[in-house]
């Protein structure tokens, strides 16, 4: 596996962030985005805290190590960097994308049994390894908190309880999805956001 350079990764992440903002999946300063630049030792390009995602460009990214310490760039790494690192560690992801969409938030607020189960929909096949609409995608819902160290531990636990999931929801907050590279992560976000909207609308939430 070859990794992107900082410039390649941040240009692609910034373009993704602007596209997601335009879709209404990351209003205001919501959402954050990362890509692995190296594995050993880990180097992660991650968006800086508080950036307006409509205007996000490569200058608004920093490089952090496996502990979330900033190595290059200006600005503070996103407050949620620990969650990105938890996903990279658990899944070997090459890119992690985090959105704050309306439908993901709506579903997360009322998910029975701490998960959103999705089945019977063709777009499930956009998720890596899924070959039939009969697949049941179980998206774990993790309780939200402003204690990001605790939240990262909850994310790690959910990822071990749901080894097959392609994304997870933070309750009342948003989606984390990932992929082996940015293209796969982006496909997963687009598929899951579509599926969330279909499920919510089918439940009569218009
Ligand atoms: Zn967030």
């Amino acid at each position: 596996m070859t990794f992107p350079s900082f410039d390649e990764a941040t240009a692609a992440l910034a373009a993704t962030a602007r596209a997601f903002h335009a879709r209404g999946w990351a209003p205001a300063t919501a959402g954050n985005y990362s890509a692995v630049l190296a594995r050993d030792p880990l180097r992660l390009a991650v968006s800086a805290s508080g950036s307006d995602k409509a205007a996000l460009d490569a200058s608004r990214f920093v490089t952090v190590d496996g502990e979330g310490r900033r190595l290059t760039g200006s600005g503070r790494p996103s407050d949620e960097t620990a969650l990105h690192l938890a996903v990279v560690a658990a899944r070997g992801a090459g890119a992690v994308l985090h959105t704050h969409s309306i439908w993901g938030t709506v579903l997360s607020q009322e998910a029975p049994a701490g998960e959103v189960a999705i089945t019977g929909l063709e777009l499930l096949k956009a998720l890596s390894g899924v070959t039939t609409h009969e697949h049941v995608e179980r998206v774990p819902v993790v309780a939200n908190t402003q204690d990001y160290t605790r939240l990262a531990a909850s994310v790690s636990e959910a990822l071990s309880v749901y080894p097959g999931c392609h994304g997870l929801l933070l309750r009342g907050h948003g989606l984390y999805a990932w992929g082996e590279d940015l293209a796969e992560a982006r496909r997963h976000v687009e598929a899951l956001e579509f599926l969330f909207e279909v499920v919510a609308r089918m439940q009569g939430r218009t």
Side-chain angles (χ1 to χ4, degrees), residues 101-117 139-144 169-174 196 199-206:
S101 75
I102 292 172
W103 296 112
T105 303
V106 166
L107 280 187
S108 75
Q109 288 288 72
E110 293 181 36
E115 65 177 40
V116 174
V139 181
V141 180
V142 172
N144 196 32
L169 284 163
L170 307 179
R171 194 181 299 281
H173 178 163
F196 292 156
V199 169
R201 287 182 183 273
M202 281 165 53
Q203 290 174 355
R205 300 185 176 105
T206 59

Side-chain angles (χ1 to χ4, degrees), residues 13-14 16-34 47-56 60-61 78-80 84 96-102 105 148 170 172-176 193:
L13 288 168
T16 298
R18 290 193 299 268
F20 286 1
H21 180 273
R23 298 287 299 267
W25 297 342
T29 59
N32 39 68
Y33 307 90
S34 72
S47 48
S49 178
S51 316
D52 191 319
K53 301 309 182 289
L56 195 69
R60 298 296 298 156
F61 285 83
S78 165
D79 291 334
E80 296 185 41
H84 288 252
V96 182
L97 305 175
H98 171 49
T99 50
H100 288 198
S101 75
I102 292 172
T105 303
Y148 295 106
L170 307 179
H173 178 163
L175 168 70
Y176 268 85
E193 293 291 2

Side-chain angles (χ1 to χ4, degrees), residues 1-5 8-10 12-13 16 20 33-39 44-45 84 87-88 91-98 126-128 166 176-190:
M1 167 112 202
T2 55
F3 296 103
S5 68
E8 291 167 343
T10 55
L13 288 168
T16 298
F20 286 1
Y33 307 90
S34 72
V36 172
L37 305 177
R39 286 258 182 231
L44 187 76
H84 288 252
V87 173
V88 168
R91 288 294 199 264
V96 182
L97 305 175
H98 171 49
L127 303 175
S128 175
H166 296 80
Y176 268 85
W178 53 87
E180 64 177 357
D181 55 23
L182 176 58
E184 186 176 275
R186 186 167 167 158
R187 195 177 80 232
H188 287 164
V189 169
E190 293 190 357

